[in-house]
Every structure is written in C-alpha cells, then in structure tokens.
Amino acid sequence: MNIDGELAIRHVQTWWADGENAATVSEGYDRMEDGQLIDDERYFYSGTGAVGKTSASCKSPEHPEQRLYGVVQVYAPGRSDAKAMKKLVLAYTEALDSSSACHR
C-alpha cells in the first residue's frame, strides 16, 4: 500500500517448502531485523516485519509439499512496533488459513 506515492506497507502470500519455519522464510525478505520466533516456529515478527506459517491443513494442488506463508513489511519511516506486528501477523495468518488460497 502506498501513502503519498511512497510504499508504506507490503503484504505477500508465498508458498515455501513444508519443512521451513517462519524464521528461515523471513531471511528472504527485508524489514525483519531483530525479530522473535514464536509458537512452534510458525510466527516471526520484528518491529517492521513479520512472517506467519499457515496450518498443516492449508494445502494446494498447485503447491504440493509446500505451506502458505503470509509476509508483512512496514516501510513507513519512523514506524516500528513489534507488539503491533505480532498481533497483525497472527490475525493475517489466521485469515489466510480460512481463505480460498487453502484448498481443503
């Protein structure tokens, strides 16, 4: 999402190998510095970035052996709030889990 023509926040849905965890996926994205890994390595968050791994029931025939991850990155200058990012990634991942992206 752009604000005043500048990138402020970005969210991505991406499929990664089922054996990965949120921390290893976070290495592929910027804005993840000094993050924390929680909940059986399903979630990773920092003040400006977060990654969430969907549940094992989230499957796609187009992506066998993979799991859907949600990634959020904050680019707005001066904005860093780890508590808010944790809350956001938990809600975003839950929404992905119940979305049409996950075929059950």
Side-chain angles (χ1 to χ4, degrees), residues 67-86:
R67 189 82 72 83
L68 182 61
Y69 287 81
V71 178
V72 180
Q73 299 160 285
V74 176
Y75 290 91
R79 302 288 184 206
S80 179
D81 187 337
K83 185 176 176 182
M85 292 303 292
K86 178 181 178 183

Side-chain angles (χ1 to χ4, degrees), residues 50-79:
V51 175
K53 182 179 186 178
T54 58
S55 67
S57 63
C58 182
K59 300 290 182 185
S60 171
E62 294 87 22
H63 303 280
E65 310 294 325
Q66 293 185 325
R67 189 82 72 83
L68 182 61
Y69 287 81
V71 178
V72 180
Q73 299 160 285
V74 176
Y75 290 91
R79 302 288 184 206

Side-chain angles (χ1 to χ4, degrees), residues 19-90:
E20 298 295 334
N21 67 45
T24 57
V25 172
S26 76
E27 293 172 6
Y29 297 91
D30 57 356
R31 313 301 294 168
M32 303 290 171
E33 297 82 20
D34 300 320
Q36 296 181 22
L37 189 61
I38 61 167
D39 196 15
D40 284 340
E41 302 181 339
R42 283 190 58 205
Y43 302 99
F44 178 90
Y45 67 95
S46 72
T48 55
V51 175
K53 182 179 186 178
T54 58
S55 67
S57 63
C58 182
K59 300 290 182 185
S60 171
E62 294 87 22
H63 303 280
E65 310 294 325
Q66 293 185 325
R67 189 82 72 83
L68 182 61
Y69 287 81
V71 178
V72 180
Q73 299 160 285
V74 176
Y75 290 91
R79 302 288 184 206
S80 179
D81 187 337
K83 185 176 176 182
M85 292 303 292
K86 178 181 178 183
K87 186 176 179 179
L88 176 61
V89 76
L90 292 172

